[in-house]
Amino acid sequence: MEAKETLKAHIGKLAVLTDEQFDYFFSHFKKQRFQKGQTIITRGDAVDCEYFVVSGCLKSFFVNDDLKMFILQFAMPNWWASDYNALYNQTKAAINVDCITDAEVLCLTSADREKLCKEVHNVEHFFRWRTNKGFVAAQKRLLSFMNNDAKYRYEELLKLYPELYNMVPKHLIAAYLGVSRETLSRLYHS
Amino acid sequence: MEAKETLKAHIGKLAVLTDEQFDYFFSHFKKQRFQKGQTIITRGDAVDCEYFVVSGCLKSFFVNDDLKMFILQFAMPNWWASDYNALYNQTKAAINVDCITDAEVLCLTSADREKLCKEVHNVEHFFRWRTNKGFVAAQKRLLSFMNNDAKYRYEELLKLYPELYNMVPKHLIAAYLGVSRETLSRLYHS
DNA sequence: TTTTAAATGTGATATAGGTCACGTAAACCG
DNA sequence: CGGTTTACGTGACCTATATCACATTTAAAA
């Protein structure tokens, strides 16, 4: 089974679970398929799941009062996505998550995550390290924001995730970089 | 003992440890005192500790090729500081940590953290949630960077940490906000 | 106290990037 | 297939913020 193997390999990079432990862990996930354009988390709604991406590409994004969109994350296969602020603090979603392409995800509720972390020490180990890495990545992006201009950040992003270039429209890349689509267009046409 | 109680209260907000577990946990920390201006982590050096701030204020910061400084974090009492990228990936420090004021910290090695996480499940729980909160905070700051101008971010920072206003010089606040000290000065003098 | 260094304020000017407006091209859909 | 939406390019102009230069005020050190 494709999704199960994908998750297993992913977990295996950060933690060691026995086959029985992994099967138990996996039994708490619900497989879901979404189509391009479908919304997974809507601002204002309650959030009780996080999503492991098996295939496709999601985006998590914030829309401000002027309807400008800012992309927090492109979630590719083997990434996790949710509104973590809402999920951890049990508040309503402040950001949205939707599908840039058709996608297959594995959904885990917050309650099940906590239950699994309590029951299986190595699951907690996994989630600790997953977030450790996310935290470091967020700090790096923050630093790049302060230090580098749009062109540099664009090239940095494409170097790190070349597949984005063909997978997502440029105006979404602009929304990730925090510049207008016009500015992004000018970066490589002049 | 002051430092011990401070750490105990801090841990207690996120995890439940018995007194014996906490004493064992605490026995791995080394108390250190630093003076204003002293460096704790130097770029280029190996990093094997993280620091819990008992009193005083640290900053973690990056200096780019043009000698411009960017502050990643002001570490106040009850916060943790290190170069987490270097610490987690066992690379040389890319950022510096030093003391804005005299400071008392509790130092924990990475090896001890991992040992403790393995030995005491609730310690791993604590560190998972500590990083969860750090991750959410980093994402919020990222969003604020993209969405808000310098003035808004300045007011946001002071609302969240009013004590910074008197504790740290303005050019450091500017380095945290990612603007020049001149721009920050103009924000509130015109 | 005197001396020196660090922090802050402010004008003049430069620039990256934003906004608005409009045109074209490509993708999607009935 | 034609029509409609979505993506993209580009000119003209605007704005927030950077940079440089220098004065002033405050804090640290001797």
Side-chain angles (χ1 to χ4, degrees), chain A residues 126-165:
Chain A
F126 164 75
F127 279 111
R128 175 166 67 92
W129 274 100
R130 184 202 61 172
T131 307
N132 279 351
K133 289 186 174 293
F135 175 70
V136 165
Q139 281 213 155
K140 272 193 185 165
R141 190 168 163 208
L142 206 45
L143 212 49
S144 187
F145 243 93
M146 298 202 264
N147 195 17
N148 307 125
D149 64 12
K151 182 158 198 166
Y152 187 95
R153 298 202 308 277
Y154 177 59
E155 283 158 7
E156 188 179 52
L157 178 68
L158 287 188
K159 207 167 56 189
L160 209 53
Y161 311 108
E163 63 272 37
L164 284 178
Y165 187 83

Side-chain angles (χ1 to χ4, degrees), chain A residues 39 41-47 62 83 86 91-97:
Chain A
T39 294
I41 292 176
T42 305
R43 180 182 195 164
D45 288 1
V47 182
F62 174 76
D83 178 340
T91 58
K92 302 287 177 183
I95 66 171
N96 304 275
V97 176

Side-chain angles (χ1 to χ4, degrees), chain A residues 52-68:
Chain A
F52 175 77
V53 181
V54 176
S55 69
C57 181
L58 317 181
K59 67 176 191 284
S60 68
F61 62 101
F62 174 76
V63 179
N64 75 5
D65 298 341
D66 305 333
L67 301 183
K68 244 171 86 171

Side-chain angles (χ1 to χ4, degrees), chain B residues 170-171 181 185-186 188-189:
Chain B
K170 302 281 172 288
H171 73 271
R181 57 170 202 83
S185 171
R186 287 177 176 112
Y188 51 93
H189 284 101

Side-chain angles (χ1 to χ4, degrees), chain A residues 3-20:
Chain A
K4 186 169 179 175
E5 289 312 310
T6 304
L7 181 60
K8 189 167 192 170
H10 172 70
I11 304 293
K13 277 182 213 146
L14 295 179
V16 180
L17 297 191
T18 66
D19 286 351
E20 300 78 52

Side-chain angles (χ1 to χ4, degrees), chain B residues 79-92:
Chain B
W79 294 42
W80 297 75
S82 188
D83 179 340
Y84 282 103
N85 184 43
L87 194 69
Y88 291 153
N89 298 314
Q90 313 213 55
T91 58
K92 302 286 178 185

Side-chain angles (χ1 to χ4, degrees), chain B residues 1 5 12 45 53 123 127 171 190:
Chain B
M1 187 177 279
E5 290 311 310
D45 287 1
V53 181
V123 167
F127 279 110
H171 73 271
S190 42

